[in-house]
């Protein structure tokens, strides 16, 4: 997907304006002053499905203005894959709904943003196009209210002619992220744009315009009033970007991190022992960059050391310690996930990864029993059901461990560490740790052997067996051993309940309980 362009070596150039009309070239002047060859972009090459084309035909019916806008146009001009389509139209939301009703190419329509009259149109092919009503009488007005100039270009329908009233092509060539018009006004319109600036730096690798950065910094505190779900989604997109390191640094510089993730911002400047050559924030940034680009691993990499700031101590001899930082960090991570309204599965996954990120650091890889015990502990299952899926695997923890290790002063040894850990985990899988550790004894068998009625004691017995297998204390097929473990667990529970009952009885009669 690319733009159809022609070089213009004359001294004049015009940009395609709000309604596809030629306007005097701000673009030409700024390019000429920078010494660039001038390019006139006539149209944008975007592959559209038949259903998407039918939607645009409906939006443009009766002579109404309709265009593809935003990221799709930007990415097509950059030669990047176009994943999402957004459209802008002069049609009202009611007219858009009416145009989509009972058509073979539209599955359904739903509201997205009431503030801007945005609807989501689910096409019959399964794709989704967000359609917004034009702000103002012409696209030039609409473009002036968009977040950044590179996102304020449109491809009009039909023909996909480029509309660029705010010189977005100029900034695209300069790889610059700049707010159109007064950046303070643009950020005031939606404070989430402060975080979006860092996200687009991460995704595109563009520099942030100085005036835009200053306005973002001034607006950053207002992020506190933005819906948690919107903040979460922008942060996730930032973390998955190809230039995530610079995106995180922009988020720190503008104060966005201090507002939405103060636990991470607090790591800036926190010094570490000599095993490290970076402070905790710089180490965290490098760890994120090293981690595979999945939401779970990138979030875990971002949060893996947040416990270091509150846990940091300095010994009399000057040694720096971070006792229990993984456990403290896991607890903090749980609070962050709740605050940002992550799903339960995502929360469990990230908390588990953060809490266990040190587990493999001192693993005795030559001890099969120790390795199997670690693998079973590191595998996180969605539930206790026999067909449950793993939310996190030991292999995931290996990736986080290596991303962490490769961000230390010993990064040159990372390849050797990877080889040892992967070999140990692979051998463990071959020994049978691919499956969830279950109870070799079913509920009915436990009830019969232990004389138990149906109830919570049966579940307690089964969990005790599973835990013993996970810890490597019991073979998965050892029925006699499983029965001993179950009997001991039930005995401890019954004995504990009796002790509590006896203690309460003695206290009611004014007699202190026996001490043995």
């Amino acid at each position: 997907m690319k733009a159809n362009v022609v070089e213009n070596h004359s001294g004049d150039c015009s940009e395609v304006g709000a309604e596809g009309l030629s306007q005097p070239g701000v673009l030409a002047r700024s390019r000429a002053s920078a010494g660039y060859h001038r390019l006139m972009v006539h149209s944008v090459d975007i592959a559209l499905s038949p259903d998407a084309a039918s939607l645009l035909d409906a939006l443009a019916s009766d002579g109404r203005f309709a265009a593809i806008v935003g990221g799709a146009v930007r990415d097509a001009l950059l030669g990047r894959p176009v994943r999402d389509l957004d459209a802008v139209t002069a049609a009202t939301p009611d007219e858009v709904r009416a145009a989509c009703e009972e058509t073979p190419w539209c599955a359904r329509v739903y509201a997205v943003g009431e503030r801007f009259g945005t609807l989501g149109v689910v096409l019959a092919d399964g794709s989704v196009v967000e359609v917004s009503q034009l702000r103002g009488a012409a696209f030039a007005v609409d473009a002036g209210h968009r977040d950044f100039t590179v996102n304020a270009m449109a491809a009009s329908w039909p023909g996909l002619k480029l509309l660029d009233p705010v010189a977005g092509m100029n900034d695209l060539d300069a790889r610059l992220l700049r707010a159109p018009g007064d950046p303070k006004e643009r950020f005031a319109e939606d404070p989430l744009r402060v975080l979006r600036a860092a996200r687009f730096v991460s995704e595109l690798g563009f520099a942030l315009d100085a005036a835009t950065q200053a306005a973002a910094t001034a607006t950053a505190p207002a992020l506190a009033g933005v819906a948690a779900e919107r903040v979460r989604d922008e942060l996730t997109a930032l973390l998955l970007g190809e230039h995530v390191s610079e995106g995180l640094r922009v988020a720190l510089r503008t104060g966005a991190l201090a507002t939405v993730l103060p636990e991470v911002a607090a790591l800036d400047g926190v010094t570490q022992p000599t095993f490290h050559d970076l402070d905790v924030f710089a180490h965290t940034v490098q760890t994120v960059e090293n981690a595979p680009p999945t939401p779970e691993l990138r979030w875990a990499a971002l949060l893996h050391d947040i416990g270091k700031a509150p846990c940091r101590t300095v010994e009399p001899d000057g040694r720096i310690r971070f006792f229990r930082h993984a456990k403290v960090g896991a607890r903090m991570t749980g609070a962050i996930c709740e605050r940002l309204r992550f799903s339960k599965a995502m929360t469990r996954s990230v908390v588990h990864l953060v809490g266990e990120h040190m587990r493999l650091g001192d693993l005795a890889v030559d001890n099969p029993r120790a390795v199997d015990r670690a693998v079973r502990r590191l595998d996180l299952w969605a539930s206790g059901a026999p067909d449950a899926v793993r939310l996190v695997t030991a292999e995931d923890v290996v990736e986080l461990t290596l991303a962490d290790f490769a961000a230390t002063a010993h990064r040159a040894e990372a390849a050797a560490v990877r080889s040892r850990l992967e070999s140990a985990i692979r051998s463990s899988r071959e020994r049978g740790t691919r499956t969830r550790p279950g109870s070799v004894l079913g509920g009915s068998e436990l009830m019969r052997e232990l004389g138990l009625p149906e109830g919570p004691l049966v579940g307690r017995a089964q969990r005790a067996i599973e835990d013993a297998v996970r810890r490597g204390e019991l073979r998965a097929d050892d029925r006699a051993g499983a029965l001993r473990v179950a009997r001991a667990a039930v005995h401890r529970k019954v004995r504990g309940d009796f002790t509590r009952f006896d203690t309460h009885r003695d206290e009611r009669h004014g007699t202190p309980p026996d001490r043995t």
Side-chain angles (χ1 to χ4, degrees), residues 71-307:
V73 177
R74 178 201 67 221
D75 289 342
L77 293 170
L78 288 172
R80 290 161 52 95
V82 174
R83 295 185 176 87
D84 301 310
L85 281 182
D86 295 313
V88 62
T89 178
T92 66
D94 287 342
E95 289 172 332
V96 172
R97 287 183 184 276
C100 294
E101 282 181 355
E102 298 181 3
T103 60
W105 45 264
C106 179
R108 66 186 180 93
V109 179
Y110 61 93
V112 175
E114 296 295 334
R115 181 180 175 189
F116 295 120
T118 302
L119 299 175
V121 179
V122 182
L123 301 176
D125 61 19
S127 61
V128 178
V129 180
E130 290 196 359
V131 180
S132 297
Q133 185 176 5
L134 194 68
R135 286 170 285 187
F139 179 67
V141 178
D142 185 283
H145 287 281
R146 292 188 175 266
D147 53 5
F148 304 105
T149 59
V150 296
N151 296 334
M153 296 179 285
S156 64
W157 188 261
L160 295 178
K161 290 185 294 184
L162 179 68
L163 311 180
D164 184 21
V166 292
M169 273 296 298
N170 189 40
D171 290 335
L172 206 65
D173 285 345
R175 299 182 65 80
L176 186 68
L177 206 60
R178 179 175 62 87
D182 184 343
K184 292 180 182 178
E185 293 180 1
R186 297 294 80 75
F187 288 119
E189 288 169 350
D190 185 0
L192 186 68
R193 290 172 173 176
V194 176
L195 203 51
R196 285 171 66 83
R199 190 253 281 193
F200 284 122
V201 167
S202 175
E203 286 187 351
L204 303 173
F206 285 12
L208 190 59
D209 166 71
T212 300
Q213 179 169 305
T217 302
T219 312
L223 280 167
V226 176
E229 296 87 346
R230 298 182 72 209
V231 169
R232 176 199 64 213
D233 292 347
E234 286 297 329
L235 286 169
T236 301
L238 187 162
L239 290 173
L240 298 179
E242 295 179 19
H243 308 274
V244 61
S245 294
E246 188 51 35
L248 286 171
R249 293 187 188 102
V250 167
L252 181 70
R253 286 200 301 269
T254 58
L257 270 186
T259 301
V260 300
L261 283 177
E263 301 89 343
V264 176
L267 304 178
D268 186 38
V270 176
T271 55
Q272 305 199 78
T274 54
F275 185 81
H276 292 269
D277 56 358
L278 300 169
D279 72 23
V280 183
F281 181 77
H283 162 77
T284 295
V285 169
Q286 196 167 107
T287 301
V288 173
E289 187 174 40
N290 293 340
T294 69
E296 293 83 0
L297 283 170
R298 285 285 173 94
W299 268 103
L302 180 69
L303 303 178
H304 81 283
D305 272 351
I306 57 173

Side-chain angles (χ1 to χ4, degrees), residues 363-374:
L363 177 66
V365 294
D366 297 326
N367 183 335
R369 185 172 176 177
V371 173
D372 290 353
R373 185 164 55 242

